[in-house]
Amino acid sequence: KVTEARLHLHQMMQSQLKVDAFSFTPIVQVCANSGSLGDAVAWLEAMRVRDIPPDVVVYTTVLNACAKRADAQVATEVFGMLRAARLQPDTVAMNSLIDSCAKCRDADSALGYLEEMKQMGLKPSIRSYTCVLVALGQLLKLEQAFELLEEVISSGLHPDLVLYNVLLNACVKAADAERAQQIFQKMSAQGIKPDVQSYSALVNVYAALGQVEAAANVIADMQEAGVSPNKFTWAGMLKACDVAADSVWAC
């Protein structure tokens, strides 16, 4: 598809047909969607060299490709081009930029772009916050993560299962059972049913602390709720036994 799009554009450029932003957009999209970030950026630059101003759609497409490739450096450069062109990014573009930073564990930049969204008059979405929370969780910045959760709720947005599971995974990394329990309480109050990932995360929090009984109770609760444990759940239970040196439960 990339070759076909490149050939089609080349033929247009060799003909008398007018080549504009709409002519370049398909090949940028094909390159970006196929994972060819370098080619997508090269075509973006080709547009600018030919004084064909890329529109927000083109920039957003490239930013989305940056997020898929977890390339925060290129994402930042592309965003700089977009702003230099005096274009207004939309929520999708900003989410891709934030996601790129989050995947590179750059929580500060992700938070900075989240604030920039607000200053632009854009309302962050659940995905905006979730991406930032991923970065905070990876860096074990749980206090900031929970402050951001309160911001989500106070803004009128409703955290979803994906967001809560991101926080639970952060609790696993930090071995913070108290905050993990708080997440389950919030989920229950909101009417969100935990899935196998949620329960497995809680089991693994207790596992890290060697709390065998608590881990076993979580498994009992999930089975009662109709959620079947998976290999990660049982691996967490075995880890709890190992940490606690409890051979009875392990058997």
Side-chain angles (χ1 to χ4, degrees):
K1 289 183 178 180
V2 174
T3 302
E4 292 175 2
R6 184 183 291 114
L7 179 61
H8 177 67
L9 180 58
H10 179 72
Q11 290 173 341
M12 289 184 66
M13 294 171 68
Q14 294 299 316
S15 70
Q16 299 299 316
L17 295 175
K18 180 182 178 182
V19 179
D20 55 16
F22 291 104
S23 307
F24 278 88
T25 299
I27 190 169
V28 175
Q29 291 176 329
V30 170
C31 291
N33 293 336
S34 65
S36 302
L37 177 58
D39 288 339
V41 173
W43 283 109
L44 177 64
E45 288 288 1
M47 294 179 69
R48 300 174 73 227
V49 169
R50 289 173 171 79
D51 291 325
I52 301 174
D55 58 15
V56 173
V57 174
V58 174
Y59 281 113
T60 301
T61 299
V62 179
L63 285 171
N64 186 49
C66 292
K68 290 179 179 178
R69 290 286 296 273
D71 196 325
Q73 181 177 347
V74 173
T76 301
E77 292 172 358
V78 171
F79 181 68
M81 296 178 196
L82 184 156
R83 296 301 282 163
R86 299 184 182 280
L87 293 174
Q88 173 73 9
D90 58 13
T91 302
V92 176
M94 294 305 297
N95 283 351
S96 295
L97 178 60
I98 292 170
D99 192 17
S100 299
C101 296
K103 287 177 178 175
C104 293
R105 302 167 65 94
D106 187 352
D108 289 340
S109 292
L111 281 166
Y113 287 127
L114 182 68
E115 289 303 315
E116 192 168 343
M117 277 187 79
K118 301 173 193 174
Q119 293 171 8
M120 292 178 190
L122 296 173
K123 183 176 181 179
S125 65
I126 285 294
R127 181 167 181 257
S128 311
Y129 284 107
T130 300
C131 290
V132 178
L133 288 170
V134 167
L136 291 173
Q138 290 174 337
L139 298 174
L140 302 183
K141 295 184 176 182
L142 262 64
E143 186 171 345
Q144 275 184 278
F146 274 73
E147 288 175 357
L148 198 60
L149 173 61
E150 293 306 318
E151 180 181 316
V152 172
I153 296 171
S154 63
S155 71
L157 292 172
H158 300 288
D160 58 12
L161 181 60
V162 174
L163 185 149
Y164 280 129
N165 279 344
V166 165
L167 283 171
L168 284 169
N169 287 334
C171 292
V172 173
K173 292 179 181 294
D176 193 327
E178 182 178 351
R179 283 198 165 107
Q181 291 167 353
Q182 290 174 8
I183 291 299
F184 262 73
Q185 291 168 1
K186 287 182 180 294
M187 290 172 70
S188 177
Q190 197 177 323
I192 295 178
K193 294 182 179 180
D195 63 3
V196 64
Q197 184 179 340
S198 314
Y199 283 113
S200 297
L202 188 56
V203 168
N204 278 279
V205 170
Y206 289 129
L209 300 171
Q211 297 182 13
V212 179
E213 193 76 31
N217 287 338
V218 173
I219 294 177
D221 289 342
M222 70 185 294
Q223 290 175 320
E224 186 176 343
V227 180
S228 299
N230 62 15
K231 61 181 181 180
F232 298 106
T233 317
W234 294 119
M237 187 66 208
L238 288 173
K239 180 181 178 181
C241 296
D242 182 55
V243 172
D246 190 327
S247 59
V248 176
W249 275 100
C251 295

